[in-house]
Amino acid sequence: MPLHGTRPHSDRLATINTAFGGRANSLGLTKRDLEELLEELDALDTERPTSTKRKHTRRQYRQLSLDLQIIRPGGSTSRIQVCTRNLSSTGISVLHCSYQHQGTRVIFALPGIDGKPVNIKGAIIRCSHRRGNIHELGILFDKPIDTKRIIAAGIFSDWYSLEQVNPVDLKGSLLYIDESEADRRLIRNHLVDTSMSVATAGTATEGIDRASEGYDLIVADYHLEQIDGKPITDSLREAGVQTPVILITGDVSAITAQRIAKAKAQAYLAKPVQKGLLLRALAEFLIVDGSRSQLTFACTLPADDPNASLAESFVVDLHAFGESIKNSMERNEIEACLTKLAKIKGSASSMGFALIGDMAEKAHISLVASTSLEESAPILNRLVAACKRACGRIG
């Protein structure tokens, strides 16, 4: 039976194959036929229960022809032309005219929105017979890709990779900057079930000052009162803060979208921010991109600075300081922590690590005032993380 009462695709394929000597794909489909087929498949699959095991969001990605290089046992290769159905950060679904074995290695390239091809290697992990000679191949990529490089999307669109996020899987530290106390409470409430440490600031000035303490992510309202007429992102970068920034706004008009895009944040969300979308946005950086492990504190000294040659050895010292502070915290050794903090703040700035020096100074002030490692733990933990991420000059 044809899908949803339409003319059988086997009949249409026979007509297409007779009319065209050269095929855009192995099924001989035209663009119109491909759209009809995929609409039918989408409608059919909608009737089936959605898999709760699926982690990565699938996005519609319909291409009439994709050149797929098949690597055969023994190393020989062949090429087939397939249609594409959908795409996620970890895989792609394509349509082909015959069965392909699971585990078969493939190589192909997807056209990037910047005109540059995105080269991909992967393996066929699923081959499903749909009807007639139509087979759907599920291909798993060797490495996740950034789908934004392939599929153009508006700045407020839902482009995040993970379809669902378990709140407890979100770990790290977040700074939320917003003049609205109600919005600050809302974000805190959204994240109450996560394993994240959340700090807030009510002004751009306060936020920039707190950002130097070192956070894994910063979420900020785009409409904060600007410093020197600059968006919060520019002020943060000028202060040496390289933490990924997510900007939020209650105005999603086309004009605002154009303006906010120039702020060059890493992501954008529209108010009111829904909990599920917020968790998926944070997960993009904390889980998918691994920003927590990739974020570095690099030496800022110019190459001709007299201390530049000492930066690498100081990085080793910082790594050791971080581990030592962590151990002292576990043993509740306040004086040992204070000694190490004093050493870091006394040397870090002159060695090109001003941000780490500033964090050490604030941690020292906090610990002296509170005489409690528990109360000072948030900033101490951020300092430990910063020390571990310290690296030499870049470039």
Side-chain angles (χ1 to χ4, degrees), residues 91-388:
I92 190 171
S93 173
V94 304
L95 301 178
H96 182 46
C97 68
S98 65
Y99 177 83
Q100 296 292 319
H101 291 283
Q102 293 184 26
T104 299
R105 299 286 301 165
V106 297
I107 301 175
F108 58 99
L110 298 178
I113 59 176
D114 60 358
K116 299 178 182 178
V118 178
N119 298 311
I120 299 173
K121 294 181 180 180
I124 296 172
I125 60 169
R126 172 176 52 83
C127 181
S128 305
H129 177 246
R130 300 310 303 252
R131 57 161 294 117
N133 68 337
I134 301 174
H135 293 74
E136 185 171 5
L137 311 181
I139 298 173
L140 178 67
F141 303 151
D142 287 354
K143 298 179 181 179
I145 66 169
D146 182 356
T147 57
K148 297 194 302 301
R149 296 179 59 192
I150 310 297
I151 303 174
I155 65 172
F156 297 116
S157 63
D158 178 0
W159 55 266
Y160 306 105
S161 303
L162 297 183
E163 191 166 285
Q164 49 192 339
V165 176
N166 187 340
V168 298
D169 291 337
L170 285 176
K171 302 175 182 178
S173 56
L174 171 75
L175 173 62
Y176 179 52
I177 312 171
D178 199 318
E179 294 170 346
S180 168
E181 183 178 349
D183 285 336
R184 296 198 299 272
R185 287 199 302 267
L186 176 65
I187 295 300
R188 278 191 176 278
N189 187 59
H190 282 345
L191 301 178
V192 70
D193 295 328
T194 70
S195 301
M196 298 193 66
S197 169
V198 182
T200 61
T203 66
T205 300
E206 181 187 0
I208 293 169
D209 182 57
R210 295 212 64 174
S212 65
E213 298 173 3
Y215 292 85
D216 295 306
L217 270 176
I218 295 175
V219 178
D221 182 18
Y222 171 68
H223 302 283
L224 287 163
E225 184 175 349
Q226 297 181 346
I227 301 174
D228 297 329
K230 300 174 183 176
I232 184 70
T233 44
D234 284 358
S235 298
L236 286 167
R237 301 310 179 220
E238 289 177 2
V241 178
Q242 298 303 315
T243 306
V245 178
I246 298 175
L247 287 179
I248 62 174
T249 177
D251 181 0
V252 294
S253 65
I255 294 178
T256 298
Q258 292 177 351
R259 290 174 179 170
I260 196 171
K262 295 178 181 178
K264 297 181 180 179
Q266 280 61 60
Y268 306 88
L269 292 173
K271 287 185 177 182
V273 181
Q274 301 301 314
K275 178 178 179 179
L277 185 60
L278 175 64
L279 296 185
R280 293 174 57 229
L282 300 184
E284 192 72 25
F285 300 94
L286 298 176
I287 298 176
V288 178
D289 285 353
S291 291
R292 293 183 63 215
S293 61
Q294 294 176 5
L295 180 62
T296 59
F297 288 80
C299 174
T300 59
L301 293 179
D304 58 356
D305 189 282
N307 289 336
S309 60
L310 304 176
E312 294 296 337
S313 60
F314 188 69
V315 166
V316 176
D317 292 340
L318 285 175
H319 293 172
F321 277 135
E323 189 63 29
S324 183
I325 292 173
K326 178 182 176 183
N327 293 335
S328 295
M329 291 173 66
E330 292 173 352
R331 294 191 292 263
N332 199 33
E333 298 172 345
I334 294 179
E335 288 302 324
C337 269
L338 288 172
T339 299
K340 297 174 182 67
L341 293 173
K343 289 182 178 180
I344 295 174
K345 72 174 186 175
S347 305
S349 182
S350 62
M351 299 301 297
F353 295 91
L355 282 177
I356 291 180
D358 188 49
M359 290 172 63
E361 182 175 5
K362 291 180 179 179
H364 192 278
I365 293 172
S366 172
L367 188 53
V368 169
S370 67
T371 65
S372 169
L373 284 169
E374 183 177 357
E375 289 185 25
S376 300
I379 189 171
L380 285 170
N381 286 331
R382 289 194 290 274
L383 174 62
V384 168
C387 287
K388 291 181 177 180

